[in-house]
């Protein structure tokens, strides 16, 4: 039995759950999932999933910026977490465990249990642990354990080549496999540049670090419309949770919608003129940007609609899109620079068609779902 152990349910909305579902659903071996998150209830995943919280929920505190104080509770709860996890793994008949270090100490406890039970360990790194666990009171100790996991794991999966190279530098040179969300092939999109209306689209989790980007791009779009009567009217559809258009400029052009099914989102994306992909510029977020590739980028590439990448050129996403010539690059939060870049892009229909075609080539080359699923399970069984 191959058991995925992580702080979220495989039925959750986020990118990490989506990546793991892509290999756990219809797997070539028996699989189960252990969600270690606290305050969780019934599973939304169709497979076998149990809940073993790594610490108790702290009520309202967990929904505030003081949630990191829960890190002081984790050592007090560790013995109970490990005892219950060990019982569950024995009951499941586990032979292999897959760990996903993210924010908390659960992976460290799971690693200790796996060693006691002499189980094979596999690990995935989707985001830099130094970023996701920033502020954790045991961060230095947990990074030491992460180094041990990296060196001892039978298989190491990373979200990008940049992430693998960095973790080899930090924790020791070891072989790794790049693994992300997969794209299921569909008909190619024959992109048509905008005519009467300019339609932009953003979908997925709204990270608060995106706020400066959204302010800048909405300011630029509003300024562009006010300065030129010939400018096309703009509609910016934002399908997310937690975005309040009332506190942003240009709220008259924004349509804010809730999360929807993948079928709805895919259909909407393919009817747009541009897909907006922000990443923060501020130094405090560079560990987030430098090594990670979001599942949103894969979905955008697959849609075939030109991507407006709005973030630092040095990020893994920025570099990938630049190498593939698969996006319009906005590498500044200066509204005037944004307007200039957009005007230039809109004036070259052939370049937009080339970007659309390159995106569809890149996603089939690097993110084919069948290829990535084989890469994962072949790596595990090698």
């Amino acid at each position: 039995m191959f058991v995925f152990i992580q702080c979220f349910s495989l039925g959750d909305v986020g990118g990490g759950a989506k990546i793991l579902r892509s290999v756990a659903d219809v797997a070539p071996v028996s699989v189960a999932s252990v969600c270690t998150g606290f305050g969780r209830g019934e599973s939304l995943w169709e497979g076998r999933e149990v809940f073993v919280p790594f610490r108790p929920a702290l009520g309202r505190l967990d929904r505030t910026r003081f949630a990191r104080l829960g890190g002081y509770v984790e050592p007090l709860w560790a013995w109970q977490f490990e005892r219950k996890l060990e019982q569950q793994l024995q009951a499941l008949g586990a032979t292999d465990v897959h760990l996903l270090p993210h924010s908390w100490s659960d992976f460290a406890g799971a690693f200790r249990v796996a060693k006691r039970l002499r189980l094979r360990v596999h690990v995935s790194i989707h985001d830099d642990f130094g970023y996701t666990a920033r502020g954790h009171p045991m961060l230095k100790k947990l990074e030491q354990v992460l180094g041990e996991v990296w060196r001892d794991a039978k298989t190491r999966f990373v979200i990008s080549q940049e992430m693998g190279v960095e973790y080899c530098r930090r924790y020791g040179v070891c072989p790794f496999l790049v693994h992300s969300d997969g794209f299921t092939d569909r008909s190619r999109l024959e992109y048509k540049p905008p005519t009467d209306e300019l339609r932009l689209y953003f979908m997925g989790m709204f990270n608060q670090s995106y706020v400066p980007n959204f302010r800048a791009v909405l300011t630029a779009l509003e300024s562009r419309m006010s300065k030129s009567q010939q400018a096309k009217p703009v509609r910016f559809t934002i399908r997310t949770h937690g975005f309040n258009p009332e506190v942003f400029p240009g709220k008259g052009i924004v349509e804010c919608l809730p999360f929807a099914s993948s079928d709805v989102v895919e259909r909407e994306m393919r009817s747009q003129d541009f897909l907006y992909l922000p990443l923060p510029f501020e130094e405090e977020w560079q560990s987030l940007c430098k090594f990670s590739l979001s599942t949103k980028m894969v979905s955008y590439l697959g849609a075939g609609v030109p991507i407006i990448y709005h973030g630092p050129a040095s990020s893994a996403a920025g570099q990938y899109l630049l190498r593939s010539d698969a996006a319009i690059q906005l590498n500044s939060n200066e509204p005037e620079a944004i307007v200039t870049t957009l005007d230039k892009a809109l004036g070259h229909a052939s370049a937009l068609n080339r970007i659309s075609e390159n995106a569809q080539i890149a996603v089939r080359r690097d993110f084919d779902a069948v290829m990535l699923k084989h890469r994962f399970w072949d790596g595990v069984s090698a």
Side-chain angles (χ1 to χ4, degrees):
M1 174 71 77
F2 189 97
V3 183
F4 295 89
I5 305 174
Q6 63 291 314
C7 61
F8 51 80
S9 164
L10 292 197
D12 282 355
V13 174
K18 189 178 180 184
I19 292 172
L20 296 189
R21 279 199 308 273
S22 72
V23 294
D25 290 346
V26 197
V29 298
S30 297
V31 301
S33 169
V34 176
C35 172
T36 61
F38 46 84
R40 301 305 301 262
E42 186 177 351
S43 174
L44 297 177
W45 185 48
E46 294 181 356
R48 185 175 184 181
E49 187 168 57
V50 295
F51 293 87
V52 183
F54 64 87
R55 70 162 171 83
L58 301 179
R60 294 180 181 177
L61 185 67
D62 285 326
R63 297 188 293 275
T64 71
R65 60 190 178 92
F66 299 107
R68 292 292 176 191
L69 295 176
Y72 291 102
V73 179
E74 292 171 41
L76 305 176
W77 196 258
W79 69 270
Q80 188 167 345
F81 166 63
E82 292 183 26
R83 178 174 60 84
K84 290 183 177 180
L85 179 61
E86 186 168 331
Q87 291 171 349
Q88 286 289 354
L89 292 176
Q90 290 175 322
L92 289 168
T95 58
D96 297 69
V97 296
H98 173 274
L99 307 180
L100 199 155
H102 194 281
S103 302
W104 313 102
S105 66
D106 55 326
F107 81 92
F111 181 58
R112 289 191 289 268
V113 171
K115 288 205 295 185
R116 286 200 293 271
L117 297 178
R118 298 188 177 183
L119 306 179
R120 290 183 290 268
V121 174
H122 313 268
V123 64
S124 285
I125 309 295
H126 291 173
D127 294 296
D128 184 14
F129 187 76
Y131 161 74
T132 61
R134 66 195 188 285
H136 195 289
M138 298 189 298
L139 178 58
K140 289 186 177 180
K141 183 178 180 180
L142 291 177
E143 286 186 319
Q144 291 176 351
V145 178
L146 179 55
E148 188 179 352
V149 172
W150 177 262
R151 292 184 293 272
D152 288 2
K154 183 175 183 290
T155 326
R156 301 158 204 83
F157 301 101
V158 292
I159 202 73
S160 68
Q161 183 73 19
E162 289 86 350
M163 183 77 81
V165 170
E166 174 64 15
Y167 271 52
C168 283
R169 185 192 67 79
R170 291 183 194 176
Y171 304 122
V173 177
C174 299
F176 60 84
L177 295 169
V178 177
H179 184 264
S180 179
D181 189 27
F183 167 75
T184 303
D185 202 358
R186 64 171 76 93
S187 62
R188 285 186 176 270
L189 177 73
E190 293 295 333
Y191 176 73
K192 296 180 180 179
T195 53
D196 299 330
E197 184 181 45
L198 190 59
R199 296 163 299 176
L200 285 82
Y201 190 83
F202 170 88
M203 68 85 179
M205 301 295 289
F206 181 74
N207 191 318
Q208 286 302 305
S209 65
Y210 299 160
V211 168
N213 301 61
F214 272 88
R215 287 193 184 281
V217 77
L218 287 169
T219 298
L221 292 170
E222 188 176 49
S223 171
R224 186 173 177 275
M225 290 177 61
S226 65
K227 289 181 178 178
S228 173
Q229 295 182 345
Q230 297 179 343
K232 297 178 178 66
V234 177
R235 181 176 50 153
F236 197 157
T237 302
I238 300 175
R239 191 173 275 284
T240 189
H241 173 74
F243 180 87
N244 180 9
E246 296 300 320
V247 301
F248 287 90
K251 60 184 179 182
I253 65 177
V254 172
E255 180 183 16
C256 194
L257 302 174
F259 287 127
S261 69
S262 59
D263 289 342
V264 170
V265 171
E266 287 177 9
R267 187 168 59 250
E268 288 178 345
M269 286 194 296
R270 289 168 73 88
S271 68
Q272 305 299 315
D273 298 313
F274 296 107
L275 303 176
Y276 182 65
L277 179 63
L279 278 180
F281 291 94
E282 290 74 19
E283 183 64 30
E284 63 181 302
W285 304 107
Q286 290 314 296
S287 294
L288 166 67
C289 302
K290 194 171 183 180
F291 310 115
S292 295
L293 290 178
S294 70
T295 56
K296 184 197 298 44
M297 188 191 79
V298 179
S299 298
Y300 280 7
L301 288 168
V305 174
I307 296 169
I308 295 177
Y309 169 69
H310 187 189
S314 59
S315 73
Q319 288 296 301
Y320 178 85
L321 293 169
L322 187 63
R323 288 193 302 268
S324 303
D325 189 19
I328 299 162
Q329 296 266 344
L330 298 180
N331 303 132
S332 167
N333 267 345
E334 291 295 329
E336 290 185 5
I338 293 173
V339 170
T340 300
T341 302
L342 290 178
D343 283 342
K344 183 179 178 181
L346 289 169
H348 293 82
S350 61
L352 294 178
N353 286 321
R354 186 187 70 248
I355 287 172
S356 168
E357 182 64 21
N358 288 344
Q360 294 178 81
I361 291 171
V363 77
R364 285 167 172 80
R365 179 190 66 220
D366 298 328
F367 298 102
D368 176 75
V370 175
M371 177 268 290
L372 288 172
K373 191 167 187 174
H374 281 305
R375 180 181 293 175
F376 184 92
W377 290 115
D378 289 349
V380 164
S381 62

